[in-house]
Each structure stands twice: as C-alpha cells, then as structure tokens.
Amino acid sequence: MDGIRVAPYAELTFDAEGGVARDELDALVATVTGAGLTDLVVFAHGWNNNRSLARSLYGRFFDPFPEVLAALGGTARLGYAGVIWPSMRFTDERLADLPVLPDGPRAAAPLPAGAGLPAGTLDALAAVLPAHRAALDRLEELLSRGPGDPTPAELAEFAGLARRLATAPGPADHDLEPPTGPDPLPAVLTEDPHELCTLFTEALTTASAAEGDDALLGGLPGTLWRGALELLRQCSYWEMKRRAGQVGQRGLGPALGVLATAAPGLRVHLVGHSFGARLMSFAVDALPEHARGVRSLTLLQGAFSHYAFTPQLPFATGRGGALRGAPAKVRGPVLCCHSRHDLSLSLLYPLASRISGDDSTLLGLGDRRWGALGHDGVQDVGGTVTLDLAHALAGPLPASGCVNVDVSAVVRRGGPPAGAHSDICHGELARLVLLAGGLVR
C-alpha cells in the first residue's frame, strides 16, 4: 500500500457505528495465521485523518519498528494493522509535516476571521456528515459575513446549526460515569453562544501568543467569528469523539475477539492517537472474555478525560470513570504519553468538555475537572507510575498498571490551534510501544 513500508500490514475499516468491513477482517485473520505472527501492533488514528492521511501517518510511525526491534534483540514475528474510521479535519490544522497523498486536502493557510471555512473543510465535513450538507452550506455563508462581529441573531443561528452536527449523547458516550437523572450534555451544545464564542476567542488569542503566531487570528484577535469557527470545530469534534467510542466498543473490541478465536496465542499491542486513543480504550473495555491477548495499550495525546480510568472521581465520590475496568483487561501496561506543547488538549479541550450547568470551580479544581489524558496523563488511579521520556526509554517499564510518560521532549512541533497534538512520528515513541509490549528491553 502507498506509504506503508513495513510488512505484513493490513487495514480494518469501520463505519460510523462500528460495522467492520468483513473481508478486511478475514484478510487480517488469514495474514496473522498464515504468517505465523507472534505479535500484532494495531494503530487507530485520531479526529483529523482521511484514509490517505491515516495511511501516511501509519507508514511514518511504523517505519522505525523493524530497525528498533532488530537493534535491541527483539525476536518477535511482528505484524502491523491500521484502523480506518470515519473522521475529518479542519484543514487549518497543521499535521507536523505529514505528507498529504492525492485524495487529501493540503493544509490551508489561516483565514482572517469572518472569511469562511478553511479551504477543503466544507467538503471534509460533508463527507463524514452527509445528512447535514444544507446546514453546512449555511454555516459557511454565515462565517463569510465578517470582518465585523456577528449580530446576536447571526450568532444564535450559527450556534443552532453547528449543534445539529452533534448527536445527543447517551450514557456510553461519556468518559465519566454520568450522575443520576437526565443524561448530561456538554456546554458546547447548550450554553449561551456569545459566552462560548468569547471564551474560544480568548483561548485562541492565548494560544497564538504562546506560540508567537499571530497569523492564526488573521490580525483580528477580538472578533467573535473566530470563536464561532472554534465552536463549529468543537461541535463536529464532539461527534467524532462519540463516534470513536462507538467504533471501539461495537467494532474493534468484537473484531479483536474474532482474531483471538482464530489465533489464541497472538499478542496484540494497541496504539491510539487523539480520539483514536479513546477508540482503543473502549475496544479494550468491550473485549470478549476469551480475548486475553492484549499485552499493551499505548495512548498518544489521548483526547479524552484524564479521569476516564479512575474508580472514584475526586469531585464526585459516588462516581468513577466510564472506563474504570479497562486497564485490568490489558495483560501489560497502559502507557499514557502526554505533552505540555499540545495546545488543543491544554487550552481548547477543557472548554469544550465542560458539562452544561456544572460549576468547574467547585472544590477549587478549576479546569482540571475537564482535563485530557494527552495533556497531563492518567489521574487518580492508584499505583500509576510517572516517568519522563529518558527514564521510560531506559526501561524496563512496569509490567502492568497505568504509566504516565511526559513526551514533551519530542512531541513539541506545531502551531495553534492544535499545537503539537499530531507531532507523534518519532522513533522514541515507536520504541516506547515495543517496550510496553515487552518486545524489547
């Protein structure tokens, strides 16, 4: 396949609700059994990838594996698989120098606020949300009304249309166990549009200043159209986040069960980036009882709650993380790689993840309540080990449990709004995956 230089390599394609391409699953089973593989690394991309970008990401990430395995004396017969699931990207997000293949739009230059959507983004949204084309066209029209601030009526219409893109969540779509009563909704779907767009504009201004990149705001740091564009981004990302959980729970988890039946001795090593980390975690949580071959789970800049694995929330002692039982299903470590250079997770994710009507300052916790794994690692899970990258690479890693690794030393490139969120193609991270799986020492 274009961009893939490791072998054997296979792909598993899922639809939005987790349905798998059965011919690809059969082909993966045949590859594993026919090649006599002892180990399989399975990677799931995040929110910002079409098929060509996902394949390009997988090719670059997997490239160092054979050399590292050989140099460190690894003897595994190793295979590789890439998960393809329907997500999209706003084309103003920089992907840390990933090459773009012919069917993927090139990165668009930042637009002045009020100048519409970045080039290619409208079609990307329509491809993954085909039922909403009319609403997307109107959103594009409204975004082109600048450069002045939107009127209250324009902002209200914009927010209403953007929120149509997001499916109302059910209990299984949250990272934390919901409280009793009505299912909680994220603030981006319910709260005052002017307040939200103001918060997003302020966050983007902060991100721009932090990175020394005022091009992000097109010279108009005060306009609410920039915040409105971010509101649209976050509404679409809510849908991608929900979708990632569905694909993991209903799709990849059962597919790994099929693979375990066909190759019961196979050791599986799961890797997920961004919402792909959420997908992989829900897949582990949904593993059938007989599927005991998952030997490691590596989360790269995970875009879901840092409390997802905790048995007891620090701000709600009767509740825990929605994935509190997942780490126990991994017969090895759960490795959480996080970076302080990830602007998407440090600045925008907490704003977008707040639950409507909840007081985020309760108990003095501030925005930590809505923090992401890829920003500061697993929180409030007993026995979690914390390492910097150098100590993690020196090994050995813990044989089980949660392990936070600060990878800021290498995951550091990329401008706003996402920062270094997608800067994950490094030999050091490939080696971490092999260490976590016990494939090298």
Side-chain angles (χ1 to χ4, degrees):
M1 295 183 184
D2 289 343
I4 303 295
R5 288 168 289 276
V6 294
Y9 171 80
E11 287 178 352
L12 287 178
T13 301
F14 296 89
D15 64 27
E17 298 305 319
V20 66
R22 186 68 201 203
D23 59 332
E24 293 184 347
L25 179 56
D26 291 343
L28 176 60
V29 169
T31 296
V32 166
T33 56
L37 299 182
T38 60
D39 294 81
L40 180 70
V41 180
V42 186
F43 197 158
H45 63 77
W47 68 53
N48 53 7
N49 296 74
N50 56 30
R51 182 179 292 272
S52 67
L53 280 169
R55 192 172 289 163
S56 181
L57 170 67
Y58 297 157
R60 286 193 65 190
F61 189 81
F62 286 147
D63 268 353
F65 276 67
E67 182 177 347
V68 173
L69 190 66
L72 297 179
T75 59
R77 295 191 298 278
L78 183 59
Y80 309 84
V83 171
I84 307 293
W85 60 282
S87 64
M88 58 77 59
R89 64 181 286 251
F90 280 59
T91 56
D92 60 338
E93 296 173 16
R94 304 169 197 177
L95 297 183
D97 302 326
L98 278 180
V100 180
L101 299 181
D103 66 328
R106 295 192 177 276
L111 292 173
L117 285 167
T121 295
L122 179 63
D123 289 339
L125 279 166
V128 296
L129 301 167
H132 297 284
R133 182 68 204 224
L136 291 167
D137 287 339
R138 177 59 177 163
L139 286 164
E140 164 74 353
E141 181 183 346
L142 287 167
L143 276 174
S144 302
R145 294 281 180 91
D149 276 341
T151 67
E154 287 173 334
L155 202 56
E157 181 185 4
F158 186 92
L161 291 169
R163 287 164 173 169
R164 289 185 193 175
L165 308 183
T167 304
D173 295 329
H174 293 285
D175 296 335
L176 310 180
E177 291 180 335
T180 57
D183 194 46
L185 295 172
V188 293
L189 301 184
T190 59
E191 292 189 359
D192 178 70
H194 186 276
E195 178 185 348
L196 286 170
C197 292
T198 299
L199 288 172
F200 282 132
T201 299
E202 291 172 351
L204 289 166
T205 303
T206 300
S208 181
E211 294 297 304
D213 187 354
D214 59 4
L216 168 70
L217 298 175
L220 296 170
T223 180
L224 288 181
W225 281 124
R226 182 58 65 186
L229 175 61
E230 191 58 36
L231 175 61
L232 172 59
R233 191 193 312 265
Q234 296 301 334
C235 286
S236 68
Y237 286 0
W238 169 263
E239 179 63 15
M240 296 306 109
K241 180 178 179 179
R242 185 201 69 82
R243 188 175 288 184
Q246 297 279 13
V247 171
Q249 186 178 66
R250 300 180 182 178
L252 183 60
L256 293 173
V258 172
L259 189 60
T261 298
L266 181 71
R267 298 186 294 257
V268 178
H269 313 281
L270 302 179
V271 184
H273 170 234
S274 185
F275 285 160
R278 188 175 196 266
L279 188 158
M280 286 302 190
S281 298
F282 272 85
V284 167
D285 199 52
L287 285 172
E289 182 63 28
H290 72 280
R292 301 179 178 272
V294 174
R295 296 302 178 95
S296 65
L297 171 62
T298 302
L299 310 175
L300 304 173
Q301 301 311 115
F304 63 111
S305 175
H306 55 193
Y307 293 125
F309 299 133
T310 186
Q312 182 172 286
L313 297 174
F315 51 86
T317 55
R319 296 159 51 206
L323 296 167
R324 60 194 296 175
K329 294 188 176 185
V330 179
R331 301 184 69 188
V334 175
L335 204 64
C336 179
C337 298
H338 58 94
S339 170
R340 64 180 177 273
H341 303 296
D342 190 328
L343 296 177
S344 180
L345 298 185
S346 63
L347 288 172
L348 297 173
Y349 180 92
L351 287 176
S353 300
R354 291 184 306 136
I355 294 300
S356 180
D358 207 349
D359 181 3
S360 64
T361 64
L362 188 66
L363 302 180
L365 291 170
D367 280 342
R368 271 185 53 79
R369 176 180 296 208
W370 313 118
L373 285 160
H375 170 58
D376 58 3
V378 172
Q379 301 295 310
D380 281 69
V381 174
T384 297
V385 174
T386 299
L387 301 170
D388 62 24
L389 181 60
H391 284 90
L393 290 174
L397 294 174
S400 62
C402 294
V403 184
N404 289 330
V405 181
D406 185 346
V407 295
S408 301
V410 295
V411 179
R412 58 183 300 112
R413 297 176 302 149
H421 185 67
S422 294
D423 184 21
I424 60 169
C425 293
H426 298 282
E428 293 90 341
L429 301 188
R431 183 174 173 183
L432 283 180
V433 173
L434 293 172
L435 284 166
L439 300 174
V440 297
R441 296 182 181 276

